Amino acid sequence: ITRRSTCKLSAPSSSNPLMTCSVNFLAIARIIDGAVLTSRFDGKITSQQRRAFEAAFKNMIENAAKMCYPGWREKVPCTCDGQTSSCTLFGFIDHQATCLLACGTLGSNYPDRLARDLLGEFSHSARNIVGDDGIAEAGAGELNAKLREPVRNLFRKFSDPAKMDKVLEVQDKVDGLKVVMQDNVRKILETHASLEHLEQSSASMNVAAGKFLKQSADLKRQLQLRNLKVKVILGACGLAFAGYLTFPVMNAFG
């Protein structure tokens, strides 16, 4: 959701669009009653710019109350008196749909991805420190002290989008390398498992081949013994038959 409003803000010009952007405003409001639980500036903007951010945030709270669902987002670009310099207010409803979190940036080129990461980290930090009950029971401005240090850390971490983009680019490359390494490890494990299976199959085949050779040798000996018995029997029969034929002749001459 994107809408346009007019505010009194200014930002320096630069050849690099990201160099003109910085996070200058962070706030949390409870949606059910519109109470602003914490609202902090980084101290580098004017009172006029503060009032502009606060007015834009008030309008955003009203919009969030009408479209209250977890994960709702809004980006509000604010043109400064019709000039090219501008600011942007990013809004996000937490996953419990109880709070609206917002960050304001000087310059209109702050990356949406970094703003989403900032607001997600802001929501996580607030709930870890204050808890659901603390958010539900806190009055207007009561979380300023408790969230002072996390907000300062977020200002320091996300106010240099050019540097953050490089860090995220390196992180993406590292994540991609992790995926490749995990895939390689998986292939190695699969290959190792296949080799183990092949070794087991080879061992089983060797055992079976050994049994076959032993059985073949036994069968060969049995066949040789049977052939020998057949030859002995045939020889005995031949001798008996020869004796039978020669016995009458021998009696005639005897």
Side-chain angles (χ1 to χ4, degrees):
I1 301 174
T2 303
R3 61 188 180 85
R4 188 172 295 277
S5 62
T6 302
C7 63
K8 300 290 185 179
L9 295 175
S10 61
S13 60
S14 173
S15 58
N16 185 352
L18 292 181
M19 295 301 293
T20 65
C21 297
S22 61
V23 179
N24 302 87
F25 172 66
L26 286 172
I28 299 178
R30 190 168 49 231
I31 298 174
I32 191 172
D33 58 1
V36 179
L37 306 181
T38 184
S39 175
R40 297 194 64 84
F41 301 90
D42 70 346
K44 300 176 183 178
I45 59 176
T46 65
S47 59
Q48 188 178 18
Q49 293 169 340
R50 290 173 182 246
R51 289 193 297 270
F53 274 128
E54 289 171 346
F57 185 47
K58 182 178 179 181
N59 292 333
M60 186 175 285
I61 295 173
E62 295 175 357
N63 289 339
K66 299 174 183 177
M67 304 289 294
C68 184
Y69 60 86
W72 176 88
R73 299 180 187 277
E74 185 176 39
K75 178 182 178 181
V76 183
C78 305
T79 303
C80 303
D81 293 335
Q83 298 178 1
T84 55
S85 58
S86 61
C87 74
T88 305
L89 188 67
F90 296 89
F92 166 70
I93 293 181
D94 62 7
H95 296 297
Q96 290 76 18
T98 57
C99 291
L100 170 68
L101 300 98
C103 68
T105 64
L106 292 182
S108 60
N109 297 309
Y110 195 87
D112 293 1
R113 172 171 48 84
L114 293 184
R116 290 195 299 268
D117 292 344
L118 187 159
L119 293 174
E121 189 170 332
F122 192 18
S123 174
H124 182 71
S125 298
R127 289 204 173 270
N128 282 345
I129 295 173
V130 181
D132 293 338
D133 293 339
I135 291 176
E137 298 172 0
E142 286 189 8
L143 300 186
N144 283 334
K146 294 181 179 179
L147 298 179
R148 180 180 293 110
E149 191 60 30
V151 168
R152 287 177 179 172
N153 293 334
L154 291 173
F155 278 140
R156 285 194 295 266
K157 181 176 180 180
F158 287 92
S159 284
D160 189 352
K163 180 179 179 181
M164 285 295 297
D165 264 0
K166 292 180 181 178
V167 172
L168 292 175
E169 182 180 356
V170 173
Q171 184 63 45
D172 289 341
K173 291 182 179 179
V174 171
D175 292 339
L177 182 60
K178 286 182 180 179
V179 172
V180 173
M181 292 180 63
Q182 290 173 352
D183 186 57
N184 290 337
V185 170
R186 178 181 59 80
K187 290 180 179 179
I188 291 173
L189 293 176
E190 290 177 352
T191 303
H192 181 67
S194 299
L195 289 175
E196 287 184 346
H197 178 70
L198 184 61
E199 290 177 355
Q200 293 175 356
S201 299
S202 178
S204 300
M205 291 177 64
N206 288 334
V207 173
K211 290 182 179 179
F212 177 76
L213 291 175
K214 183 178 180 181
Q215 291 175 354
S216 298
D218 292 342
L219 181 61
K220 183 178 180 180
R221 284 194 296 269
Q222 291 176 3
L223 290 174
Q224 290 175 345
L225 181 60
R226 187 178 67 176
N227 290 336
L228 180 61
K229 289 180 179 180
V230 171
K231 290 178 180 180
V232 170
I233 292 173
L234 290 176
C237 290
L239 291 174
F241 183 71
Y244 175 75
L245 293 177
T246 58
F247 184 72
V249 175
M250 293 178 63
N251 284 336
F253 289 100

